[in-house]
Amino acid sequence: MKDIGGLMKQAQAMQAKLAEAQGKMAEMTAEGGSGGGLVTVTLKGSGELVSVHIDESLMAPGEAEVLADLMVAAHANAKKTLDAQQAEMMRAAAGPMAGMMGGIPGLKF
């Protein structure tokens, strides 16, 4: 049987690392673009949209549908980047116990 005290210490250390990682994730930002940079958005770690840049060429009459599509695509790119960064941060924080954490609901690795 493994040393329960040692396992508890490892679990507590991992819990502290995960809490630290979650704090860092809230502070991170991710940028996503579409249309070759015509639309760029920035998301906070929480997923909150904090900035949007739209190239002036898309402000012409008749470009509303194109603009809407590019905004959705830029947001999707930013969200994908953010999710990947956060998953990597959580894997790094969990260390050798990351494999054991995959079955816990709410934790993404």
Side-chain angles (χ1 to χ4, degrees):
M1 178 173 246
K2 293 189 178 209
D3 177 19
I4 298 296
L7 286 175
M8 290 300 291
K9 284 184 181 182
Q10 281 182 329
Q12 289 172 341
M14 184 186 75
Q15 185 177 20
K17 286 181 181 180
L18 289 173
E20 181 182 341
Q22 287 175 332
K24 288 181 181 179
M25 287 184 336
E27 296 172 9
M28 71 177 26
T29 61
E31 190 173 276
S34 63
L38 292 174
V39 174
T40 305
V41 301
T42 304
L43 301 179
K44 280 187 180 180
S46 63
E48 178 185 352
L49 179 64
V50 292
S51 74
V52 177
H53 169 76
I54 301 169
D55 188 275
E56 289 184 21
S57 66
L58 293 172
M59 303 307 255
E63 294 296 321
E65 187 174 337
V66 172
L67 176 57
D69 290 344
L70 290 173
M71 289 181 69
V72 169
H75 182 273
N77 283 337
K79 181 71 170 124
K80 181 179 177 182
T81 299
L82 185 65
D83 288 347
Q85 289 172 346
Q86 290 179 343
E88 181 56 37
M89 188 174 285
M90 291 301 282
R91 271 193 295 279
M97 298 186 85
M100 294 172 40
M101 304 302 290
I104 297 177
L107 285 180
K108 297 178 185 177
F109 288 95

